Amino acid sequence: MTAPESASVSPEKATPAPSWREAWAVYLQPRVLIVLMLGFSSGLPLALSGSTLLVWMRESGVDLGTIGLFALVGTPYTLKFIWAPLVDALHVPIFTRAFGRRRGWLVFSQLLLIGAILLLALTDPARSPLFVALGALLVATMSSTQDIVVDAFRVESLPESEQAAGMASYVAAYRIGMLVSTAGVLFLVSAFEDTGIGRNSAWMWGYVAMAALVLIGTLTALAATEPEQSVRAEAKTRGEAAFSRVMHAAIGAFSEFLARKYAWIALAFVVLFKFTDAFSGTMTAPFVIDLGFTRNDYAAIVKGVGLIATLIGGFAGGYLARRYSLVASLWIGGVLQAISNLVFAWLAYVGVNQWALAVAISAENFTGAIGTVIFVAYLSALCQNPLHTATQYALLTALAAVGRTYLSSGAGFVAETTGWPLFFVISVAVAVPSLILLAWLQRRGHFEAVGPVKV
């Protein structure tokens, strides 16, 4: 069961099930629509320092080893739990006074994000990979900060009856934002090149367009109202020093979690569960380009068809999480997301074939989405103390990003050494440690102790 679904269990026992019209009407509530637009703003910048940037670099002639190392620019997504208490406790001069505690941070982080994307647009991967890395690092830092604020805003602004709809809207809009910053950018760059603009200039204007789209989130933040929970929390802690507020939030969250039985093993499992996806996913863009597919093939199939497969896989993961126990669902998701990497080894032998690429991408994205939904259900179940939910969830999601950011940074060197078919076979094998930890935790009753998902 996913977190949003668990929120509706108790009310459904006491009240009749809503009609179809009532179920759909909740998605048109102003608060839910605000969350939807913020979801787009959160999903937009992720690929600009990730897969889209890797395509730009490969087309500029950057070697695979250097491209693989660019996974390290995702470090802010890994370390965001460190400054999550700062965002929760500190005020931004002028912005907080003008817009409120949450909205002030939203507007501030989005303006900085726009500046970081524009800075990245002005770099040249062929001439200065170091400056590209610094620009991408700034984009990732501002993006992860925005994510912290949006998560807090979403939880605090939506009543319990709208939490499920808000989360569903957020996830869908997040994926659309990612599609725009991947397939959208690639189509846009191709369109600029068709007008006679040079390749690097076309990429620059593509990134400038993405910076402009961040304003959608900024306008949304300005149109929204400050959550009442945030206003009440601000009133209660107004007399407490900022440093004291930060320390209470941080220390309480970490000490409570680490006091649990098998906490360190559980954290290792969190780091490794999605590693197989991250290891192969880091090299998907260079693999498709090296195989001979065009930029438009990548945009339409990898990102377009892949999005559809991801959304369907998300629904399938939700069904599995409801139908089976948490540990059984984790086994299903963990095995499926690992063996799906073999379809890329098959594609490496097939070569340039659009239908084969569509099949491979659909299988990988479908199974990866199943694993992600079930994994999020597990992370939600670990955050049992409502006093520390935000900080603990930031910690867990940051640890989950370790596999994507650090452990997968050597994927490019492995691909250069082994070749593409063997590389994707190896990407299946790297799932074994997480499955061993899963079996270890299951035998010791860890998942029974975790209990149902808490919201």
Side-chain angles (χ1 to χ4, degrees):
M1 181 181 294
T2 60
E5 290 159 351
S6 67
S8 60
V9 171
S10 296
E12 289 178 355
K13 291 181 179 180
T15 60
S19 66
W20 280 104
R21 179 176 297 179
E22 292 169 337
W24 282 107
V26 68
Y27 289 94
L28 299 179
Q29 293 297 317
R31 291 179 293 259
V32 176
L33 293 176
I34 290 291
V35 168
L36 183 144
M37 301 306 291
L38 291 177
F40 175 85
S41 184
S42 290
L44 186 72
L46 181 62
L48 298 180
S49 60
S51 60
T52 300
L53 180 62
L54 299 185
V55 174
W56 184 8
M57 295 179 67
R58 190 56 177 166
E59 288 190 348
S60 299
V62 180
D63 62 272
L64 289 177
T66 301
I67 289 177
L69 289 175
F70 261 71
L72 296 174
V73 303
T75 295
Y77 294 104
T78 305
L79 301 180
K80 65 181 181 180
F81 69 92
I82 294 177
W83 68 89
L86 300 179
V87 172
D88 213 20
L90 301 182
H91 297 162
V92 182
I94 301 176
F95 287 87
T96 299
R97 186 180 301 109
F99 306 114
R101 177 167 166 252
R102 296 302 186 197
R103 291 169 64 234
W105 267 104
L106 268 176
V107 175
F108 178 68
S109 63
Q110 288 163 350
L111 291 179
L112 291 180
L113 177 59
I114 291 173
I117 295 173
L118 291 175
L119 182 63
L120 181 57
L122 297 174
T123 60
D124 184 347
R127 296 182 178 180
S128 53
L130 178 59
F131 287 108
V132 175
L134 291 175
L137 188 62
L138 286 175
V139 170
T141 300
M142 295 304 103
S143 174
S144 58
T145 301
Q146 178 188 225
D147 289 346
I148 294 171
V149 187
V150 170
D151 285 339
F153 182 91
R154 182 185 70 245
V155 171
E156 293 175 355
S157 64
L158 295 176
E160 184 178 359
S161 60
E162 297 177 5
Q163 283 287 345
M167 189 61 189
S169 298
Y170 175 86
V171 171
Y174 191 100
R175 290 290 181 177
I176 293 173
M178 290 182 62
L179 179 64
V180 170
S181 62
T182 49
V185 171
L186 298 182
F187 281 126
L188 193 58
V189 170
S190 295
F192 282 135
E193 285 186 334
D194 289 341
T195 65
I197 297 178
R199 174 173 292 176
N200 203 60
S201 295
W203 277 103
M204 180 193 72
W205 286 111
Y207 269 67
V208 169
M210 294 303 103
L213 288 179
V214 177
L215 289 173
I216 292 175
T218 306
L219 294 175
T220 301
L222 294 175
T225 57
E226 185 72 5
E228 293 184 7
Q229 292 186 38
S230 178
V231 174
R232 291 195 297 268
E234 174 64 19
K236 289 181 180 179
T237 60
R238 186 170 296 149
E240 188 177 358
F243 179 79
S244 178
R245 293 202 303 266
V246 172
M247 295 305 295
H248 287 164
I251 295 176
F254 297 137
S255 61
E256 189 273 336
F257 188 89
L258 293 178
R260 301 177 188 177
K261 197 173 184 180
Y262 308 128
W264 291 106
I265 303 298
L267 291 179
F269 175 69
V270 168
V271 170
L272 293 175
F273 184 75
K274 296 295 292 181
F275 177 39
T276 180
D277 262 3
F279 190 79
S280 62
T282 298
M283 303 310 297
T284 297
F287 167 63
V288 172
I289 298 299
D290 276 6
L291 210 56
F293 289 97
T294 67
R295 185 193 301 138
N296 287 348
D297 288 334
Y298 179 85
I301 299 176
V302 177
K303 295 305 178 181
V305 176
L307 173 64
I308 297 173
T310 297
L311 294 178
I312 297 174
F315 285 112
Y319 171 78
L320 289 174
R322 291 192 300 270
R323 179 68 175 79
Y324 301 103
S325 67
L326 179 59
V327 63
S329 300
L330 284 168
W331 273 110
I332 295 172
V335 172
L336 285 179
Q337 69 184 8
I339 62 176
S340 66
N341 290 335
L342 292 176
V343 298
F344 287 114
W346 164 74
L347 181 62
Y349 287 110
V350 172
V352 180
N353 182 300
Q354 281 76 15
W355 285 106
L357 177 62
V359 169
I361 290 300
S362 296
E364 196 276 336
N365 283 23
F366 177 78
T367 56
I370 290 176
T372 296
V373 168
I374 295 169
F375 186 53
V376 168
Y378 172 64
L379 296 185
S380 300
L382 290 176
C383 302
Q384 296 182 350
N385 191 330
L387 295 176
H388 310 306
T389 299
T391 303
Q392 285 181 344
Y393 196 80
L395 169 64
L396 293 173
T397 54
L399 286 174
V402 167
R404 181 179 72 240
T405 304
Y406 296 109
L407 299 183
S408 62
S409 62
F413 295 108
V414 176
E416 282 188 323
T417 302
T418 63
W420 290 118
L422 183 55
F423 168 78
F424 288 110
V425 173
I426 293 173
S427 71
V428 177
V430 300
V432 172
S434 69
L435 298 179
I436 292 175
L437 291 177
L438 177 59
W440 193 94
L441 290 169
Q442 181 181 11
R443 290 188 61 183
R444 285 156 180 79
H446 166 74
F447 298 99
E448 288 78 5
V450 168
V453 176
K454 305 288 186 180
V455 178

